[in-house]
């Protein structure tokens, strides 16, 4: 079930009403059944994968918890790792590695017929497998006790607001919340709905509209000139942000309506002054996952310099691969790894350049220069992320500054002029709100206004969504990961 | 005050959600609450129904006449998608053909035809049609669907296992009916329609299923049809399709002693596309298919040729409705004449 579907508009109020209407001891059951239903509306049989992951990790957790023997504990951890990563590999990466191996063999004139696995990628598999893995690793490390209640554990794996596209929650944060009793609180419910509205605005007014132009250009880049390629690349940066952060806002808001607190996933990432800051603001739940469960176990920065660099680069390569089974994602991850290493190595030089340009004495100007440079580095990497093939990405990068002509006819790169204008206005409005948030103004200021003003502001937002939203129930981009 | 309003609004949302769920999932209940525009006697046009922009609304009476007979007792069999079943302001083709020829005509019900993906072979096999006297089957497919249907003639299987389980699964997890009832119930429909009209008049947006539209004269075109017309088709694709039709023709002949006559109904955009889009050039899909059918000895009804011939010499009457994908009674008459010409050379 998509958040931006009529089904969800029906499902959500009913679940919330039932949640507050029934006694606390049955609420986990309602949420669990609701979550399974939410997932099964996409493809019912794939619920089996979630059940397999849930059962194995539940018993692996109990096994680790009940044993003092390190070897036995490691065995249970391996069982969890192999089953979850095995599912992920089988459904997401098998064909990718197969194709890559076939292409490699072909280079040496070795032609072998490797089998392909014709299965649909289960929605959200990367999210729920990573979430359950974090639980198993936490239990193994002794950072938490195993969950005894299988229902609560199953709900942790399948909790519908964040099941298919995160935030990837830690068991220590989310699971205890399922034991607490929540009452209908006007302030909290209102705040959750406002965040959902903001997410819907980003998704249906901005992201889905930008998708029209981005898809037209990126699905056939050779048919478009440099101006189209450049605009599509800028648009994609905002499309993916609005799509994914919009999803996170709806997820966080929906959970908050019922009383649950999910972790923040985006913090205005395009205002980052460096790539490392960008990764502290973009998909925070994944970045911290990789930090805690891959980067630090690899040794982090408490090792030799070369090993540290290798660790950083490795984490970004894996992060790229996590996003999709395609070399474009690996290159995207590699580029970010390279940026980060370069920024560490060149810190001294960059400071000298800043001093020479007189930027150090103008911190506000320096900050904006850094923000603009970081944004464009991220933008460059997005080309690989969005392009269908590495060849397409290369074509786009090498043709960005050629043939700057406006297209003829009523459409601008597949998009109506009115849509183009609404896109620009939507992005501008969102960035004004972000700037307000950055300087600590917008939400508190609105909250301090008279009730009538607040009602008008939120009614205007609803009207914007209703009048300018795209309601084709298009999938969220991160579903495919 | 705001808190009270908020709680009332939240309660209304919950009640409305429950109402939509019940109305969508239980059709006998839901039908009492459908909007008043849905009628058994008048249609606004199927394309109007998609976009609901009042400017394009037609008022077309629906003719309801019983169709009787069986395949066994009929000499002329008809199978087709919506054009065969089209009863906009005129009786269905089957009845008109029966009246004109005096022979027994049987039309395979539209729902069955759709379930069998316009493939008569499994339908006749499942119906147990005996191989009796020579019969003629006119198989109609609208242009935009013809490739999809024809390429599946050999692979389609009517054998549905676990049918009940699948139906149950569909009933529980697939919510198109709930979506539909959400929009079309009489309480929300005026709001929904108002929103669509506002979006159209404020910034010219129309439902994405409308591929092209014009205001003077008002004309709507179905997006699937427009996209089909604009999509390049390879000669290999057309050859494969013609081979499939030839195979079907042989099988019908061998198994049921039936002569297959193919009828491709042109997309409205194939006939009127140039009127709203002067740069548009029809790719000649139907003539190319018919040429291949002729080369394989498969008879066909040339509706496209008849429509073009009419438009080139007269064009006083519309062949398709402004707001519908289907033909007008006049457009139907032109096709009927072509069929009669084939039956009574």
């Amino acid at each position: 079930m998509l958040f931006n579907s009529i089904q969800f508009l029906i499902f959500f109020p009913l679940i919330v009403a039932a949640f507050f209407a029934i006694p606390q001891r049955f609420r986990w059951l309602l949420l669990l059944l609701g979550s399974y239903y939410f997932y099964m509306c996409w493809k019912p049989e794939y619920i089996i994968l979630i059940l397999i992951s849930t059962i194995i990790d539940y018993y692996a957790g109990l096994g680790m918890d009940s044993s003092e023997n390190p070897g036995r504990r490691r065995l249970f951890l391996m069982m969890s790792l192999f089953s979850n990563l095995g599912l992920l590999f089988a459904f997401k990466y098998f064909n990718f590695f197969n194709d890559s191996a076939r292409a490699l063999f072909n280079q040496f004139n070795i032609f072998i017929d490797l089998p392909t696995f014709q299965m649909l990628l289960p929605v959200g598999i990367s999210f729920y497998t990573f979430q359950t893995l974090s639980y198993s690793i936490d239990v193994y490390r002794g950072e938490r006790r195993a969950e005894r209640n299988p229902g609560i554990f199953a709900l942790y794996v399948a909790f519908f607001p964040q099941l298919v596209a995160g935030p990837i929650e830690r068991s220590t944060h989310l699971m205890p919340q399922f034991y607490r009793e929540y009452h209908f609180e006007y302030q909290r419910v209102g705040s959750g709905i406002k965040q959902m509205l903001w997410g819907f605005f980003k998704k249906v007014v901005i992201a889905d509209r930008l998708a029209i132009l981005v898809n037209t250009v990126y699905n056939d880049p050779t048919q478009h000139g440099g101006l189209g390629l450049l605009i599509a690349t800028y648009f994609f940066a905002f499309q993916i942000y609005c799509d994914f952060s919009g999803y996170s806002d709806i997820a966080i808001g929906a959970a908050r309506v019922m009383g649950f607190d999910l972790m923040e996933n985006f913090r205005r990432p395009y205002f980052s002054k460096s790539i490392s800051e960008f990764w502290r603001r973009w998909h925070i739940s994944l970045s911290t996952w990789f930090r805690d469960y891959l980067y630090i176990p690899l040794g982090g920065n408490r090792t030799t310099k070369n090993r540290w660099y290798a660790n950083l680069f490795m984490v970004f390569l894996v992060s790229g691969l996590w996003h999709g089974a395609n070399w474009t994602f690996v290159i995207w991850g590699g580029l970010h790894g390279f940026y980060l290493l370069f920024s560490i190595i060149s810190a001294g030089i960059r400071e000298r350049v800043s001093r020479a340009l007189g930027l150090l004495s103008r911190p506000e100007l320096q900050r904006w220069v850094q923000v603009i440079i970081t944004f464009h580095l991220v933008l460059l990497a997005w080309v690989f992320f969005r392009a269908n093939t590495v060849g397409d990405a290369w074509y786009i990068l090498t043709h960005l500054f050629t043939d700057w002509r406006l297209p003829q006819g009523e459409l601008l790169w597949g998009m109506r002029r009115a849509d183009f204008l609404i896109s620009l206005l939507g992005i501008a409005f969102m960035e004004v709100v972000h700037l307000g948030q950055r300087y600590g103004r917008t939400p508190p200021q609105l909250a301090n206004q008279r009730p009538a003003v607040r009602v008008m502001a939120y009614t205007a937002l609803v009207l914007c969504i209703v009048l300018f939203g795209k309601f084709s129930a298009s999938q969220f981009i991160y579903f495919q990961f | 005050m705001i808190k009270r309003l908020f709680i009332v609004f939240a309660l209304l949302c919950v009640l409305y959600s429950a109402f939509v769920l019940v109305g969508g999932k239980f059709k006998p209940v839901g039908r009492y609450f459908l909007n008043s525009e849905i009628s058994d006697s008048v249609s606004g046009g199927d394309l109007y129904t998609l976009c609901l922009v009042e400017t394009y609304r037609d008022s077309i009476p629906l003719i309801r006449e019983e169709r009787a007979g069986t395949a066994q007792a009929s000499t002329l069999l008809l199978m087709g998608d919506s054009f065969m079943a089209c009863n906009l302001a005129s009786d269905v083709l089957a009845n008109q053909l029966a009246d004109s020829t005096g022979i027994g005509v049987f039309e395979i019900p539209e729902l069955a035809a759709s379930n069998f993906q316009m493939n008569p072979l499994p339908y006749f096999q499942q119906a147990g049609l005996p191989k009796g006297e020579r019969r003629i089957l006119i198989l109609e497919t609208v242009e935009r669907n013809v490739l999809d249907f024809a390429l599946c003639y050999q692979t389609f299987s009517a054998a549905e296992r676990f049918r009940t389980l699948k139906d149950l699964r569909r009933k529980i997890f697939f919510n198109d009916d709930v979506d539909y009832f959400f929009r079309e119930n009489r309480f929300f429909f005026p709001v929904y329609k108002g929103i669509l009209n506002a979006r159209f008049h404020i910034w010219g947006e129309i439902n994405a299923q409308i591929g092209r539209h014009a205001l003077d004269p008002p004309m709507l075109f179905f997006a699937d049809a427009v996209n089909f017309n604009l999509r390049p088709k390879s000669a290999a694709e057309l050859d494969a399709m013609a081979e499939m039709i030839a195979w079907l023709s042989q099988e019908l002949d061998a198994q049921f002693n039936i002569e297959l006559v193919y009828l491709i109904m042109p997309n409205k955009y194939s006939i009127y596309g140039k009127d709203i889009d002067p740069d548009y050039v029809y790719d000649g899909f139907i003539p190319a298919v018919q040429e291949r059918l002729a080369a394989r000895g498969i008879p066909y009804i040339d509706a496209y040729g008849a429509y073009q011939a009419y438009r080139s010499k007269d064009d006083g009457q519309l062949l398709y409705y402004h707001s519908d994908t289907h033909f007008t009674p006049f457009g139907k008459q032109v096709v009927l004449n072509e069929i009669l010409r084939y039956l009574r050379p």
Side-chain angles (χ1 to χ4, degrees):
Chain A
M1 192 184 294
L2 295 167
F3 281 163
N4 54 331
S5 67
I6 288 174
Q7 295 171 39
F8 185 73
L9 289 184
I10 302 299
F11 170 83
F12 186 63
L14 291 176
I15 274 281
V16 171
F19 179 79
F20 287 116
I22 62 175
Q24 160 68 12
R25 65 180 183 280
F26 298 122
R27 285 179 178 176
W28 68 268
L29 183 62
L30 173 82
L31 288 180
L32 182 62
L33 294 177
S35 298
Y36 285 162
Y37 182 79
F38 177 89
Y39 192 81
M40 290 170 82
C41 283
W42 169 69
K43 198 163 176 55
E45 48 271 40
Y46 277 15
I47 195 69
I48 292 168
L49 300 179
I50 294 185
L51 291 174
I52 289 172
S53 187
T54 304
I55 292 166
I56 291 177
D57 286 320
Y58 175 72
Y59 284 106
L62 288 181
M64 283 186 275
D65 202 31
S66 63
S67 174
E68 295 292 321
N69 181 338
R72 196 174 147 81
R73 287 171 66 83
R74 195 172 297 124
L75 191 71
F76 280 113
L77 177 67
M78 287 300 145
M79 187 172 91
S80 169
L81 287 176
F82 277 116
S83 58
N84 283 298
L85 296 178
L87 280 179
L88 204 52
F89 180 82
F91 283 91
K92 191 167 175 177
Y93 299 109
F94 184 77
N95 288 342
F96 168 66
F97 285 113
N98 241 350
D99 294 343
S100 300
R102 191 183 295 122
L104 184 68
F105 284 129
N106 287 356
Q107 291 294 315
F108 298 101
N109 285 333
I110 302 168
F111 300 98
I112 48 171
D113 188 23
L114 296 166
T116 49
F117 193 42
Q118 299 294 346
M119 294 290 273
L120 204 59
L121 178 68
V123 163
I125 190 168
S126 305
F127 289 90
Y128 66 75
T129 49
F130 267 45
Q131 184 154 310
T132 53
L133 274 180
S134 74
Y135 163 82
S136 299
I137 297 170
D138 285 350
V139 174
Y140 174 75
R141 287 173 175 171
E143 288 174 8
R144 64 155 296 140
R145 300 296 306 272
E147 175 57 50
R148 305 272 151 189
N149 184 332
I152 294 289
F153 181 74
L155 181 57
Y156 163 68
V157 179
F159 187 44
F160 77 84
Q162 43 84 246
L163 169 61
V164 288
I168 303 168
E169 281 292 330
R170 306 299 170 79
S171 60
T172 45
H173 180 238
L174 185 58
M175 241 186 257
Q177 297 185 50
F178 294 136
Y179 285 102
R180 286 182 212 138
E181 183 165 3
Y182 299 99
H183 299 285
F184 186 92
E185 284 173 32
Y186 165 69
Q187 291 293 350
R188 195 197 59 231
V189 172
S191 150
I193 289 175
K194 282 174 211 164
Q195 186 149 4
M196 289 175 80
L197 275 180
W198 184 233
F200 280 121
F201 175 81
K202 286 197 273 189
K203 168 67 179 165
V204 299
V205 178
I206 304 179
D208 286 352
R209 178 164 279 106
L210 295 178
I212 301 168
L213 189 147
V214 174
N215 292 345
T216 305
V217 173
Y218 266 78
N219 288 342
D220 204 356
T222 56
Q223 295 302 309
H224 302 278
L227 187 60
L229 298 174
L230 194 68
I231 288 175
T233 303
Y234 275 103
F235 271 19
F236 180 67
F238 289 102
Q239 184 204 346
I240 191 159
Y241 170 71
C242 291
D243 193 283
F244 193 20
S245 73
Y247 183 93
S248 294
D249 283 335
I250 300 169
I252 293 167
R256 192 182 300 148
V257 166
M258 293 181 284
F260 303 103
D261 172 41
L262 299 185
M263 70 182 291
E264 188 184 18
N265 219 12
F266 290 87
R267 207 179 298 134
R268 302 179 297 285
Y270 291 151
F271 285 98
S272 305
K273 299 194 300 281
S274 65
I275 291 296
S276 61
E277 187 185 350
F278 175 81
W279 280 103
R280 288 194 299 274
R281 290 161 165 265
W282 177 276
H283 203 176
I284 298 165
S285 63
L286 181 73
S287 311
T288 51
W289 196 101
F290 276 121
R291 182 196 66 201
D292 294 347
Y293 300 108
L294 185 62
Y295 176 66
I296 291 174
L298 283 172
N301 59 359
R302 295 181 178 178
T303 176
T304 63
K305 197 175 261 186
N306 286 343
R307 180 69 194 269
W308 174 35
Y309 293 164
N311 289 345
L312 276 173
F313 198 70
M314 165 80 80
V315 167
F316 278 97
L317 279 185
V318 174
S319 166
L321 200 56
W322 179 89
H323 280 84
N326 194 324
W327 287 107
T328 52
F329 293 111
V330 178
I331 293 173
W332 170 78
L335 258 179
H336 274 277
F338 170 76
Y339 291 160
L340 205 59
L341 295 185
F342 185 78
S343 72
I344 294 167
I345 294 164
S346 66
I349 301 169
R350 286 186 294 118
E351 196 182 326
R352 281 199 292 279
V353 171
S354 295
R355 184 170 293 122
L357 293 172
L359 289 173
L360 289 185
S361 56
R362 295 177 191 161
E364 190 63 13
L365 178 63
Q366 185 192 22
R367 183 187 300 167
W368 280 106
V369 169
Q370 288 172 325
V371 166
I372 290 167
I373 291 173
T374 305
F375 174 74
H376 283 89
L377 288 173
V378 171
L379 192 71
L380 179 76
W382 282 140
V383 172
F384 285 93
F385 192 95
R386 175 59 185 86
N388 295 336
T389 62
V390 177
D392 278 2
W394 187 247
Y395 179 88
I396 290 164
L397 287 174
T398 52
H399 289 77
L400 280 176
F401 300 104
T402 60
D403 189 15
W404 273 40
R405 272 180 299 175
L406 276 174
Q408 302 294 313
E410 61 188 46
L411 297 179
L412 291 172
W413 302 284
M415 183 187 251
R416 294 180 333 115
R417 283 163 202 270
D419 278 319
F420 195 86
L421 185 66
I422 294 167
S423 300
L424 295 179
L425 291 174
I427 292 171
F429 175 65
M430 178 181 71
E431 291 308 337
V432 167
V433 172
H434 283 169
L435 274 174
Q437 286 172 338
R438 181 185 163 92
Y439 292 108
R441 289 183 192 144
T442 309
Q445 213 170 51
L446 194 57
N448 293 336
Q449 294 296 328
R450 282 179 296 142
V453 176
R454 289 194 335 249
V455 168
M456 276 165 61
Y458 289 112
T459 308
L461 188 62
V462 171
L463 272 178
C464 256
I465 293 170
V466 166
L467 287 178
F468 299 112
K470 291 278 175 193
F471 294 103
S472 50
S474 61
Q475 271 205 357
F476 288 84
I477 295 174
Y478 263 68
F479 274 27
Q480 63 187 292
F481 307 138
Chain B
M1 175 64 182
I2 288 196
K3 186 176 171 182
R4 233 176 263 162
L5 271 176
F6 177 82
I7 290 170
V8 169
F9 182 72
L11 277 174
L12 282 175
C13 282
V14 172
L15 283 176
Y16 185 70
S17 301
F19 163 70
V20 171
L21 185 67
V22 172
K25 289 289 179 192
F26 303 99
K27 290 184 181 61
V29 178
R31 75 159 62 124
Y32 289 108
F33 296 98
L34 284 177
N35 75 73
S36 54
E37 276 192 13
I38 295 174
S39 152
D40 285 342
S41 56
V42 179
S43 165
D46 58 3
L47 294 170
Y48 160 76
T49 310
L50 290 177
C51 70
L52 292 175
V53 175
E54 200 57 34
T55 315
Y56 294 104
R57 185 174 176 179
D58 256 321
S59 183
I60 312 166
L62 299 174
I63 309 297
R64 292 269 165 207
E65 282 196 27
E66 289 297 314
R67 274 164 274 170
T70 61
Q72 282 90 334
S74 304
T75 314
L76 181 59
L77 309 174
L78 306 178
M79 183 181 209
D81 48 27
S82 51
F83 280 86
M84 280 294 178
C86 174
N87 62 343
L88 300 172
S90 62
D91 201 356
V92 293
L93 263 175
N95 289 351
Q96 293 197 30
L97 274 167
D99 293 344
S100 306
T101 59
I103 59 174
V105 180
F106 173 71
E107 183 200 338
I108 295 167
E110 190 185 4
L111 186 63
S114 164
N115 286 342
F116 285 89
Q117 290 182 17
M118 299 305 137
N119 188 343
L121 206 56
Y123 175 81
F124 290 138
Q125 286 165 346
Q126 200 170 81
L129 184 73
K131 185 178 178 179
E133 289 176 16
R134 188 70 170 163
R135 295 186 182 92
I136 292 174
L137 167 71
I138 298 177
L139 182 58
E140 173 261 317
T141 311
V142 69
E143 185 181 1
R144 66 173 186 276
N145 291 334
V146 68
L147 268 172
D148 289 343
F149 287 147
L151 292 174
C152 295
Y153 283 151
Q154 268 184 348
T155 52
F156 177 80
S157 167
E160 276 270 16
R161 292 171 67 201
F162 311 118
R163 179 91 204 192
T164 315
L165 207 60
K166 281 186 177 172
D167 285 349
L168 188 66
R169 181 181 113 133
R170 191 166 179 80
K171 187 89 188 155
I172 295 173
F173 295 112
F174 294 89
N175 293 307
D176 290 353
D177 38 13
V178 175
D179 285 10
Y180 178 80
F181 190 71
F182 179 92
R183 292 188 305 264
E184 302 286 338
N185 74 74
R186 66 173 63 164
F187 304 113
F188 185 68
F189 181 74
V191 179
Y192 175 61
K193 191 172 162 180
I195 291 168
L196 293 183
N197 278 275
R199 290 167 71 113
F200 180 75
H201 293 297
I202 293 172
W203 56 286
E205 194 216 47
I206 198 161
N207 186 301
Q209 287 175 279
I210 306 297
R212 287 273 197 282
H213 64 284
L215 281 170
D216 186 23
M219 188 72 99
L220 299 172
F221 295 94
F222 191 36
D224 285 2
V226 174
N227 294 339
F228 179 86
N229 281 43
L230 298 180
R231 176 172 81 77
K233 295 118 194 156
S234 67
E237 222 176 349
L238 300 192
D239 287 338
M241 175 193 158
E243 281 302 316
M244 280 291 158
I245 297 172
W247 174 85
L248 180 70
S249 173
Q250 285 164 11
E251 289 300 312
L252 285 169
D253 187 28
Q255 293 185 30
F256 301 105
N257 194 21
I258 287 176
E259 177 188 340
L260 174 68
V261 179
Y262 219 75
L263 164 59
I264 302 175
M265 279 309 302
N267 292 330
K268 187 160 108 181
Y269 197 64
S270 305
I271 304 298
Y272 287 107
K274 204 166 174 53
D275 290 24
I276 67 150
D277 191 354
D279 294 334
Y280 172 66
V281 180
Y282 180 57
D283 63 359
F285 172 75
I286 294 179
V289 173
Q290 291 179 166
E291 194 179 299
R292 285 166 169 79
L293 294 182
R296 287 163 178 81
I298 299 160
Y300 59 85
I301 308 289
D302 186 8
Y304 174 78
Y307 280 180
Q308 289 297 15
Y310 171 72
R311 289 209 71 196
S312 64
K313 68 176 191 319
D314 185 342
D315 205 21
Q317 298 195 57
L318 272 179
L319 296 164
Y320 291 80
Y321 283 104
H322 291 296
S323 62
D324 204 284
T325 49
H326 298 101
F327 42 30
T328 58
F330 180 73
K332 188 183 285 183
Q333 186 62 47
V334 173
V335 175
L336 182 73
N337 291 343
E338 286 301 305
I339 297 174
L340 291 175
R341 201 193 326 269
Y342 177 81
L343 295 175
R344 295 191 297 223

